[in-house]
Amino acid sequence: MDQKRNIIFNKYEMGRLLGQGTFAKVYYGKNVDTSESVAIKVINKDQVKKEGMMDQIQREISVMRLVRHPNVVELKEVLATKQKIFFIMEYVKGGELFSRVAKGRLKENVAKKYFQQLMSAVDYCHSRGVYHRDLKPENLLLDENGDLKVSDFGLSALPEQLRNDGLLHTQCGTPAYVAPEVLRRKGYDGEKADIWSCGVILYVLLAGFLPFQDENMMKMYRKVFKSEYEIPPWISPEAKRLISKVLVADPARRITISAIMRVPWFSKGFSRSISCPILNDHVEDGPEIVRTKSSPPFYNAFEFISSMSSGFDLSNLFENKRKSGSLFTSKCSGWKIMATLEEVAKRFKFRVVWSKEYKLRMEGESEGRKGKLAVMAEVYEVAPEVAVVEFSKSAGDSLEYKKFCEEDARPALKDIVWSWQGENNNCES
């Protein structure tokens, strides 16, 4: 570290303190090569281990790698020393949405814009199996263009946290924004709980205050359980109707995100491009790509890079169980890996619907309970003559995707695989 300029890893210059919490401090930073502004979240390893927070840190990393959306704060990379973990994140300089609401209610068209962007981001997170569980104005940031960015995934949940009943059971979040079923300490659907929180946020943006508030916490809980609130007269009838459909105490009767997006008040002025998952931006039956022997893009594979040096060991931060079967290393060239992936797709009757150098999207023929299975495959360079191949599900059922990875792809790709992630690598280097 350059003490004079406070440069870490010869890559980022750390500047002023932006904020701090119990376990982390966030600093303004700049990439010394590109001058790009970033936010650097610094976590003390010993402190989080002592407080038993390592699972939460691990989950936050896993979640932020899964969700790439224009309205979600981007995690650029994770770096570490023996004592500290550094999250390098997108710098969002507009501050918290909470700061705007604290000055008073927003105009309805402005509130609607933020709500549209919020629902777009939340819908995308849910499509990736991620439930935020702590949605509130303090966790919604605004960029220099006034666009919303969802942040703070420390309390979010992944599918692995579902119990046998298919529900989540951890009580978390901020009481004023938490769904009644979560407060009751019973199993709950993460998607429906997030929708309730979004409804509270919409109310706050339009009203300028919370729908459920009382100095006595138990009285406030009773209001939440009964969904007792009053809508101020300045809120339009159309917005009132939507709020009344979201803030429904019975989660089974609560409106869904797809239904919210069909409401005329919501859909007016809503850009569908906002809600499109970044990984799904493909062109059906595009032109065939001529493979060249150029190098694949560099992969910021901190799981692999960190394991190469004892001072950068992050191995205990990642969920091998989740990624097993969907990430492997290879010593083959990028163009050969892509050719093999296309052959495997044809063998298992998957249609390559979109492809470009070192990235393709393949789609199955059969309709599952969640539509056709679509799988993205990307090839990256980790080191000279070492590539990493990553699969990700972009549509369809998770169980079908797991079956494809474990029963179809793994045996078919054995000739080009050096090591699957989570398995011991006994090959010679």
Side-chain angles (χ1 to χ4, degrees):
M1 181 181 294
D2 184 330
Q3 294 295 334
K4 188 175 181 181
R5 291 184 58 199
N6 202 13
I7 295 176
I8 58 172
F9 304 99
N10 295 316
K11 190 171 183 181
Y12 297 102
E13 182 175 1
M14 288 181 63
R16 68 187 184 278
L17 180 69
L18 297 175
Q20 64 184 84
T22 308
F23 303 106
K25 292 182 178 180
V26 181
Y27 296 87
Y28 172 77
K30 186 174 285 189
N31 186 308
V32 295
D33 293 325
T34 65
S35 295
E36 178 190 21
S37 294
V38 295
I40 303 175
K41 182 176 179 179
V42 184
I43 300 169
N44 186 294
K45 275 186 180 180
D46 291 337
Q47 188 176 7
V48 294
K49 285 180 180 178
K50 182 179 178 182
E51 298 294 332
M53 302 291 288
M54 196 59 81
D55 285 346
Q56 184 170 318
I57 302 301
Q58 172 187 343
R59 184 166 62 247
E60 187 172 1
I61 294 172
S62 299
V63 164
M64 291 188 75
R65 286 193 70 241
L66 274 175
V67 290
R68 301 280 177 165
H69 187 276
N71 298 118
V72 174
V73 174
E74 179 188 357
L75 175 68
K76 295 180 178 295
E77 61 180 320
V78 177
L79 303 167
T81 63
K82 290 182 178 180
Q83 290 81 32
K84 295 179 180 179
I85 304 166
F86 300 82
F87 282 41
I88 312 298
M89 301 182 295
E90 174 185 6
Y91 175 57
V92 186
K93 67 179 182 181
E96 297 175 358
L97 181 57
F98 178 80
S99 299
R100 287 206 60 183
V101 181
K103 298 174 183 176
R105 68 179 188 265
L106 306 182
K107 292 181 179 179
E108 190 156 305
N109 64 325
V110 176
K112 180 169 71 171
K113 169 196 166 184
Y114 291 144
F115 186 66
Q116 288 170 334
Q117 294 180 340
L118 172 62
M119 295 311 300
S120 176
V122 171
D123 183 44
Y124 176 70
C125 289
H126 290 178
S127 76
R128 304 288 284 173
V130 173
Y131 311 105
H132 192 284
R133 301 199 298 180
D134 195 22
L135 292 166
K136 55 185 178 181
E138 294 91 328
N139 288 337
L140 306 177
L141 306 179
L142 300 177
D143 67 12
E144 64 271 20
N145 300 316
D147 290 321
L148 179 143
K149 301 271 187 177
V150 179
S151 69
D152 201 345
F153 285 83
L155 293 179
S156 54
L158 291 164
E160 281 75 9
Q161 292 171 268
L162 300 176
R163 292 192 187 171
N164 292 334
D165 58 6
L167 300 173
L168 295 163
H169 288 260
T170 305
Q171 186 180 23
C172 58
T174 304
Y177 293 89
V178 170
E181 63 268 26
V182 180
L183 295 175
R184 291 184 188 278
R185 298 178 180 271
K186 294 182 179 180
Y188 60 92
D189 182 316
E191 181 173 342
K192 294 182 183 297
D194 275 354
I195 292 172
W196 171 280
S197 299
C198 291
V200 177
I201 291 169
L202 176 60
Y203 183 102
V204 170
L205 297 181
L206 293 169
F209 51 84
L210 287 160
F212 312 104
Q213 52 185 340
D214 198 291
E215 291 181 3
N216 184 299
M217 187 67 75
M218 292 314 298
K219 287 183 179 179
M220 188 194 80
Y221 280 10
R222 280 195 287 271
K223 289 180 180 180
V224 173
F225 293 148
K226 296 180 181 179
S227 192
E228 286 183 357
Y229 62 93
E230 294 182 3
I231 296 184
W234 57 79
I235 297 180
S236 71
E238 295 84 1
K240 284 181 182 178
R241 280 195 290 273
L242 177 55
I243 291 171
S244 69
K245 292 178 180 179
V246 178
L247 297 183
V248 175
D250 180 0
R253 293 174 49 242
R254 196 173 302 151
I255 191 171
T256 62
I257 293 180
S258 59
I260 289 173
M261 291 182 173
R262 292 193 297 269
V263 171
W265 179 86
F266 180 95
S267 60
K268 186 177 180 180
F270 178 55
S271 172
R272 295 301 304 179
S273 62
I274 292 175
S275 65
C276 291
I278 288 176
L279 292 178
N280 283 356
D281 57 344
H282 62 280
V283 179
E284 296 288 337
D285 297 318
E288 182 180 350
I289 297 297
V290 178
R291 305 281 174 214
T292 66
K293 295 191 177 184
S294 59
S295 298
F298 178 74
Y299 182 49
N300 175 31
F302 40 82
E303 296 98 317
F304 292 102
I305 295 170
S306 63
S307 66
M308 295 177 184
S309 168
S310 59
F312 294 78
D313 185 13
L314 294 178
S315 59
N316 63 338
L317 289 178
F318 297 93
E319 299 180 75
N320 289 330
K321 178 183 177 183
R322 177 173 181 79
K323 296 174 183 173
S324 177
S326 60
L327 200 69
F328 68 84
T329 51
S330 176
K331 288 191 172 184
C332 296
S333 62
W335 61 269
K336 181 177 180 180
I337 294 171
M338 289 299 295
T340 305
L341 289 173
E342 290 182 346
E343 289 177 9
V344 169
K346 291 176 183 177
R347 187 188 311 176
F348 294 102
K349 297 183 178 179
F350 274 70
R351 186 168 65 102
V352 177
V353 295
W354 176 77
S355 179
K356 65 179 182 180
E357 270 198 290
Y358 307 114
K359 184 174 181 179
L360 64 83
R361 184 178 192 266
M362 42 192 172
E363 190 177 89
E365 288 184 337
S366 59
E367 287 276 355
R369 63 186 184 91
K370 291 187 178 181
K372 292 182 179 180
L373 176 64
V375 179
M376 293 291 295
E378 297 183 67
V379 182
Y380 303 90
E381 184 178 74
V382 182
E385 299 183 359
V386 179
V388 59
V389 181
E390 182 174 29
F391 290 108
S392 61
K393 177 177 73 70
S394 55
D397 184 74
S398 295
L399 290 176
E400 287 186 34
Y401 169 67
K402 184 178 180 181
K403 177 181 178 295
F404 169 77
C405 288
E406 295 181 356
E407 298 180 18
D408 298 338
R410 286 175 70 98
L413 296 169
K414 63 181 182 355
D415 291 339
I416 64 169
V417 172
W418 183 25
S419 176
W420 288 95
Q421 186 176 359
E423 296 180 355
N424 291 327
N425 189 344
N426 295 319
C427 302
E428 293 180 4
S429 57

